[in-house]
């Protein structure tokens, strides 16, 4: 029995492909790592299904222009995936507003599902923003 446990993307996909990927991820109980790097992502389409995934342990969105608004699409996934242990959002163009959303999402997680790794390097956030994440 074959199980898909890891996906890595570095190429651009059409919107409908992001939607389909989200659907696949939402129904996949074996996926452990999702890496999307330096390519345009339709976060709204991807997150429609991704929000239902409970198995991803590592999510890496490096060099993705998430910005503050697109990060909000991830909030349901971040809030409700008890398996997520590593979140890497390097060079994702996120700022203070996104940090507020991220903090709110992480606070909603249960005590036994805390993140072990959170990497927000090379974004537009400062020390005050990082302090918001301390309770999470």
């Amino acid at each position: 029995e074959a199980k898909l446990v890891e996906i890595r993307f570095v190429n651009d996909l059409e919107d409908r492909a992001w939607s389909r990927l989200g659907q696949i991820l939402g129904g996949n109980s074996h996926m452990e790592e999702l890496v999307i790097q330096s390519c345009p992502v339709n976060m709204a389409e991807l997150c429609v299904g991704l929000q239902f995934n409970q198995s991803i342990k590592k999510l890496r969105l490096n060099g993705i222009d998430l910005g503050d608004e697109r990060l909000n699409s991830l909030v349901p996934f971040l809030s409700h995936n008890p398996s997520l242990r590593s979140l890497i959002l390097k060079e994702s163009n996120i700022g203070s507003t996104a940090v507020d959303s991220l903090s709110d999402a992480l606070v909603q997680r249960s005590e036994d599902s805390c993140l072990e790794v959170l990497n927000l390097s090379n974004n537009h956030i400062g020390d005050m923003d990082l302090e918001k994440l301390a309770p999470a």
Side-chain angles (χ1 to χ4, degrees):
E1 175 180 321
K3 297 178 184 175
L4 182 62
V5 296
E6 180 179 325
I7 295 180
R8 295 175 180 265
F9 281 100
V10 294
N11 297 321
D12 188 14
L13 298 175
E14 294 179 13
D15 287 346
R16 67 177 184 219
W18 288 114
S19 177
R20 184 66 184 125
L21 177 60
Q23 293 170 358
I24 291 167
L25 292 173
N28 185 307
S29 61
H30 303 291
M31 178 67 58
E32 294 182 4
E33 183 172 6
L34 176 61
V35 177
I36 303 174
Q37 188 166 306
S38 303
C39 67
V41 177
N42 186 324
M43 289 304 294
E45 292 293 331
L46 177 65
C47 290
V48 166
L50 183 62
Q51 68 182 329
F52 299 108
N53 183 284
Q54 299 274 312
S55 65
I56 292 178
K57 295 177 182 177
K58 296 179 183 178
L59 178 61
R60 294 188 344 186
L61 303 176
N62 298 335
I64 305 296
D65 186 15
L66 286 177
D68 293 339
E69 289 184 32
R70 287 184 174 164
L71 186 97
N72 286 333
S73 299
L74 275 175
V75 167
F77 168 75
L78 298 175
S79 300
H80 303 294
N81 180 326
S83 301
L84 188 67
R85 294 295 181 253
S86 177
L87 178 61
I88 300 174
L89 303 173
K90 297 187 323 187
E91 300 172 1
S92 297
N93 194 29
I94 59 176
S96 295
T97 304
V99 170
D100 290 340
S101 297
L102 182 58
S103 178
D104 291 345
L106 297 178
V107 165
Q108 292 177 30
R109 295 168 59 89
S110 65
E111 290 182 23
D112 59 340
S113 64
C114 64
L115 281 180
E116 296 169 2
V117 175
L118 176 61
N119 186 335
L120 301 173
S121 61
N122 298 322
N123 282 292
H124 309 289
I125 56 178
D127 292 342
M128 296 294 286
D129 295 318
L130 293 177
E131 288 178 15
K132 297 175 191 175
L133 293 169

